[in-house]
Amino acid sequence: NDLTLSVGQAPFSGFYAFRSLIAGDYAKEFWQAFRNTFAISMYGLIFGFPVPIILALFFSEIKSDFYRSLTQILTYLPKFISTVVITSIITLMLFEGNEPHQAPGVLTSLFQMFGWIGENTRMLHEPQYFRSIYIISGIWEGAGYGSIVYFAAIMAISPTNYEAARIDGANKLAQIRYVTLPGMAPTLTIMLILRIGEILSVGYEKIILLYNVQTYETADVISTFVTRIGGLMGGQSISLNTAAAADLFNSIIAMFLVLGANFISKRVSDTSLF
């Protein structure tokens, strides 16, 4: 009968789910997932945010429309490949064959040749390599598609600004510094604020397809924690409430991150979301 009650009529169940997350039975798993989520997102922001901007700058310097369109299509393509196929490609580039007779893949052989990893290293089964694999593959997958916004911002800059800069003796790097980047500044600010709001939003699909028992300590994130606790424990009310509390906790922190980034942007510049 409680299922037919509205939100206002339902009895308040208390904060036991939040207590269980923060300092209870699920605290160790939750805080590990929280740390992993924050680390993966921050590394993705630091190393992944500039790449689409650099790609857009490269595209803007290609004079031939045909070659520019071709390179853009090639960089956009990974975004339209399903996550399952992407993870399969990653796995095949690191391993060949099936267990227990797996041979090193192309990337693994290359890394071993340069001495970056050991001879018997299995990168997908080593916790210290998981974040790098996830972030680099994410940059490869989304950088081209993400460059569309920045390329459009560059194309919106008036050519007379570049002509004036050339007359003043500015070379190509000076034009990028004093014309292109200032012209892109509003777009860069808005995209950075949005990206900050996604710091704790790491999707579970790719994580689940890549991680295993050996990499659990660095691979488990809040979304996989919520999926595991809420969906794989028989649908028990305690586990469902705990999963919902974890997701709500994640959303609240993301909201404050967006508000904080927007406030700082408004104080520092004239650009903000609201």
Side-chain angles (χ1 to χ4, degrees), residues 60 124 153 174 196:
S60 67
L124 282 178
I196 290 174

Side-chain angles (χ1 to χ4, degrees), residues 35-103:
R35 288 192 299 270
N36 291 337
T37 304
F38 188 80
I40 289 174
S41 297
M42 282 301 298
Y43 289 138
L45 177 63
I46 293 170
F47 297 105
F49 186 75
V51 175
I53 302 171
I54 296 171
L55 272 179
L57 292 172
F58 285 152
F59 293 152
S60 67
E61 295 301 319
I62 300 177
K63 304 305 179 183
S64 171
D65 292 337
F66 173 77
Y67 288 115
R68 183 169 61 200
S69 300
L70 180 62
T71 53
Q72 285 178 314
I73 290 172
L74 292 176
T75 55
Y76 298 166
L77 188 60
K79 183 66 177 180
F80 300 98
I81 301 176
S82 70
T83 305
V84 176
V85 176
I86 290 290
T87 54
S88 299
I89 293 173
I90 295 169
T91 304
L92 290 174
M93 294 182 76
L94 295 175
F95 297 113
E96 294 179 357
N98 298 318
E99 294 185 359
H101 304 292
Q102 285 184 331

